Amino acid sequence: MKPYLKILTLLVLFSGLSSFLFAQNLEKTKTQLIKQLDQQSEKYGNIAHQIWGFAEMGYQEFKSTKLLQETLKAEGFSIEAGVADMPTAFVASWGSGKPIIGILAEFDALPGLAQEAIPERKAIEGGKAGHACGHHLFGTGSTAAAIAVKNWLSQSGTQGTIRLYGTPAEEGGGGKVYMVRAGLFDDVDAVINWHPASGNSASARSSLAVRGIKFRFHGKASHAAGSPEQGRSALDGVEAFTTMVNLMREHVPDATRIHYVISRGGEAPNVVPAFAEVILRIRHPDVEMVKSIYDRIVLAAKGAAMGTGTTMTQEIYMGYYNLLPSEPLAEKMYENLKIVGGVTYTQEEEKFAEKIIATLDKKGLRPEQSQNIAPYSVSYVGRGGSTDVGDISWQVPTVGLGTATWVPGTSAHSWQAVAAGGTSIGVKGMMVAAKTMTLSAIDLYLDHSIIERAKTKLNELRGNNFKYESLVGDRKPPLDYRSHLTN
């Protein structure tokens, strides 16, 4: 064999050996990190259950955000609190240089869902809210992952920055939208997040874009029997408007969702209502279609006001972009979810799950389904709900997963979700998420090519000339949007 061929052969063999040793070392590192997080399960479970007990609604999460900030500060993170004009929002940072990896943390509860941590419907006396979407687990699990990543960066000497974004008021308040608008993600290379669920999955999937508007009609009060001709009913304006919206449903794309409630319709039947309000949301897989349908709905509102002799004002109170999936990040997260595995119940947890399943109107559910991991899939057409994570995904490559914090078959925003979230079942699912996010972040620090592929894919999806414009315009965060529920 010629000398240069021998050298080439040796180089190939050395390269193969180096790759093998790197893979072996990485596998060992991930095993150690999983073990370390397992040892911290009780600590983070206690934090999650404290926040479950606080059950603070959007922009009112003062105890919850304080607890998470104190936990991160004790681990050496620097904290910037009250960011983007939101008192409960914060950014916790550790490390230096690139890449900068962000992890999202939520912590708001939902109104009207105070529930004890038992497998039967029993409201907490005096309770006004409950964690029916599991954000107490979301925030705590993300904090656990951020701290685990920080410890690994420190011990390994790897360059990079880890950030934990404390994002308030996901439930309709859209805290992340204002953080994106404030430029808090401009220098971030990738964002990782998760969400409580009834199963385990890590796929590249989209969501629905949404815009929420409050249409307020103003009329003229009068005696409804004595002098109705002098009145101009704001409620007539609302009813004319909603009639036109319902007629419009036939003439919008099939994937469109329009839903509303009449939040104010008058005070007494013998008084012509001087004020009425309807709160409406528009959803579609394409954010541009949401904007287009919004323009048509505004015209309908103006027409309803003209036809009823009233006037109309509007307030855009929330708006989220659809999620842009990141296949390069999702593929890696799915690999790590398979390494971590699903949730295995104890006998006591199985009994709890069986009782919950008995309250669900679904067949074929079994407690052991919490161990399953859904097959990997890709979908760029959103369906179901909406999330303010969508806005971040148009700025930075973003990936998320769901884990079985609830009993199989449980839907979000239900008393069953609140109940399971207050038990060890919720904590187990939370720790699956914390482990998976930790391993995924480490892969990004060690292999920058994953981030580069994700950035390339993002530019393909949104276009190189994309400029972010919030769906809520330049309005300030609606810090009081839940205040009427606590007074």
Side-chain angles (χ1 to χ4, degrees):
M1 183 180 290
K2 295 182 179 180
Y4 72 88
L5 290 176
K6 288 183 179 180
I7 294 172
L8 183 60
T9 300
L10 289 171
L11 287 173
V12 170
L13 290 172
F14 179 76
S15 176
L17 179 61
S18 297
S19 298
F20 173 77
L21 292 174
F22 177 82
Q24 289 290 98
N25 186 54
L26 181 57
E27 182 180 347
K28 182 179 178 181
T29 297
K30 289 185 174 182
T31 300
Q32 290 173 340
L33 286 165
I34 290 172
K35 184 177 180 180
Q36 290 169 8
L37 280 165
D38 278 333
Q39 293 169 346
Q40 297 291 311
S41 180
E42 183 177 356
K43 169 188 173 181
Y44 291 116
N46 289 335
I47 292 172
H49 286 157
Q50 286 184 66
I51 297 174
W52 183 89
F54 296 154
E56 298 169 301
M57 289 180 279
Y59 294 125
Q60 300 170 29
E61 319 99 328
F62 294 103
K63 294 178 183 177
S64 303
T65 190
K66 181 182 178 182
L67 178 56
L68 293 179
Q69 289 181 47
E70 288 176 345
T71 302
L72 289 155
K73 189 174 182 179
E75 293 289 340
F77 281 76
S78 62
I79 308 291
E80 184 180 1
V83 296
D85 298 321
M86 295 179 291
T88 55
F90 69 93
V91 180
S93 303
W94 190 93
S96 62
K98 292 280 193 172
I100 300 173
I101 307 299
I103 299 179
L104 307 181
E106 298 176 7
F107 33 79
D108 63 320
L110 279 158
L113 284 160
Q115 160 69 31
E116 293 192 10
I118 59 175
E120 61 184 53
R121 182 70 178 106
K122 186 176 182 182
I124 295 175
E125 186 175 351
K128 295 183 178 180
H131 275 287
C133 217
H135 294 174
H136 64 301
L137 300 167
F138 190 154
T140 308
S142 294
T143 297
I147 292 171
V149 172
K150 165 254 174 183
N151 289 337
W152 174 80
L153 287 171
S154 177
Q155 293 164 8
S156 66
T158 304
Q159 178 176 300
T161 303
I162 182 68
R163 285 189 192 155
L164 190 287
Y165 287 84
T167 64
E170 189 276 336
E171 298 290 356
K176 299 179 191 66
V177 173
Y178 302 99
M179 297 175 87
V180 172
R181 198 179 67 180
L184 298 180
F185 293 91
D186 287 355
D187 61 346
V188 180
D189 293 292
V191 167
I192 298 171
N193 79 109
W194 75 289
H195 200 284
S198 62
N200 308 291
S201 65
S203 292
R205 305 187 69 82
S206 187
S207 65
L208 297 179
V210 63
R211 176 174 270 172
I213 317 99
K214 296 180 180 180
F215 290 97
R216 299 180 175 115
F217 287 79
H218 307 267
K220 181 182 178 182
S222 181
H223 195 294
S227 52
E229 74 283 356
Q230 295 183 26
R232 296 294 181 267
S233 173
L235 181 58
D236 286 352
V238 164
E239 290 186 308
F241 169 57
T242 56
T243 297
M244 285 190 277
V245 168
N246 288 323
L247 292 172
M248 189 186 298
R249 295 180 192 278
E250 184 182 357
H251 309 289
V252 294
D254 288 344
T256 306
R257 300 287 183 269
I258 304 172
H259 32 264
Y260 62 83
V261 294
I262 298 174
S263 52
R264 287 281 300 277
E267 309 303 327
N270 62 337
V271 179
V272 175
F275 176 78
E277 178 187 73
V278 57
I279 304 176
L280 179 145
R281 290 188 184 182
I282 310 160
R283 302 184 201 249
H284 191 275
D286 183 352
V287 66
E288 294 302 322
M289 185 58 68
V290 167
K291 295 177 184 178
S292 175
I293 295 169
Y294 162 76
D295 290 340
R296 293 172 61 191
I297 284 178
V298 169
L299 289 176
K302 291 179 178 179
M306 290 176 63
T308 56
T310 59
T311 59
M312 183 275 298
T313 58
Q314 59 161 311
E315 176 191 357
I316 298 174
Y317 71 94
M318 57 91 74
Y320 308 156
Y321 277 55
N322 50 298
L323 272 169
L324 286 184
S326 179
E327 290 185 59
L329 299 184
E331 290 166 359
K332 185 57 65 174
M333 180 164 274
Y334 180 69
E335 290 177 11
N336 286 313
L337 177 57
K338 288 195 296 183
I339 292 172
V340 173
V343 176
T344 301
Y345 293 157
T346 63
Q347 287 186 348
E348 184 178 355
E349 290 164 347
E350 279 190 6
K351 291 178 181 177
F352 181 97
E354 287 169 353
K355 291 180 180 178
I356 289 287
I357 288 172
T359 70
L360 304 174
D361 187 21
K362 298 178 182 179
K363 296 181 179 179
L365 296 174
R366 303 184 309 278
E368 61 268 25
Q369 289 172 331
S370 64
Q371 302 172 28
N372 300 342
I373 295 174
Y376 179 77
S377 62
V378 178
S379 175
Y380 288 91
V381 179
R383 56 182 298 182
S386 309
T387 171
D388 56 1
V389 178
D391 288 60
I392 296 173
S393 73
W394 283 72
Q395 289 288 91
V396 186
T398 303
V399 65
L401 80 156
T403 61
T405 60
W406 308 324
V407 173
T410 300
S411 66
H413 298 197
S414 66
W415 70 261
Q416 292 94 336
V418 184
T423 71
S424 57
I425 288 175
V427 174
K428 283 185 173 180
M430 176 186 78
M431 295 310 295
V432 168
K435 296 170 194 173
T436 305
M437 290 190 292
T438 299
L439 304 190
S440 299
I442 287 169
D443 283 328
L444 300 184
Y445 285 115
L446 294 176
D447 187 354
H448 298 179
S449 69
I450 302 172
I451 294 174
E452 294 309 311
R453 293 199 306 273
K455 289 181 177 180
T456 298
K457 186 65 177 179
L458 175 58
N459 284 331
E460 289 176 2
L461 292 172
R462 69 180 187 180
N464 290 319
N465 297 320
F466 170 76
K467 183 179 179 181
Y468 175 75
E469 293 181 358
S470 167
L471 288 176
V472 299
D474 59 359
R475 69 154 297 152
K476 290 186 177 296
L479 302 181
D480 61 349
Y481 87 115
R482 295 291 198 204
S483 59
H484 67 289
L485 298 172
T486 57
N487 294 334

